[in-house]
Amino acid sequence: MSEGPHPPRQLFKLGLAQAILFVVGALLGRGVGLLLGLDAFGSAGYGNKEMFGILLIGLGGGAGAQLGRLWYVRKYGPSRS
């Protein structure tokens, strides 16, 4: 594991991993919501089903970003010293 600040190339990998896994997680959250009948974009208004669908998309995206961060820390160590 390295000491001090990480090179820009490694930090780019962190950002790219977080962005890709954020999108994948959000899509998985949307899919789970649809399977449960919680369509975030279903009707003109925002009822309970739509709000829980939006919540699942947010949770999936956040979990994906955290997985990207976890991968980076395990491979390169913490980016802050």
Side-chain angles (χ1 to χ4, degrees), residues 52-80:
F52 282 114
I54 292 169
L55 177 69
L56 286 174
I57 292 171
L59 288 174
Q66 290 302 313
L67 282 175
R69 178 84 177 156
L70 180 65
W71 166 81
Y72 180 85
V73 168
R74 285 190 178 187
K75 185 165 179 144
Y76 299 110
S79 61
R80 295 182 186 156

Side-chain angles (χ1 to χ4, degrees), residues 4-81:
H6 291 210
R9 185 177 178 100
Q10 285 181 355
L11 294 175
F12 178 75
K13 289 178 185 178
L14 169 63
L16 190 62
Q18 284 185 311
I20 290 170
L21 289 175
F22 175 83
V23 172
V24 169
L27 289 173
L28 286 174
R30 170 109 166 104
V32 169
L34 289 174
L35 287 174
L36 296 174
L38 305 172
D39 189 4
F41 308 109
S43 65
Y46 288 108
N48 288 336
K49 287 184 177 184
E50 289 81 15
M51 294 304 288
F52 282 114
I54 292 169
L55 177 69
L56 286 174
I57 292 171
L59 288 174
Q66 290 302 313
L67 282 175
R69 178 84 177 156
L70 180 65
W71 166 81
Y72 180 85
V73 168
R74 285 190 178 187
K75 185 165 179 144
Y76 299 110
S79 61
R80 295 182 186 156
S81 29

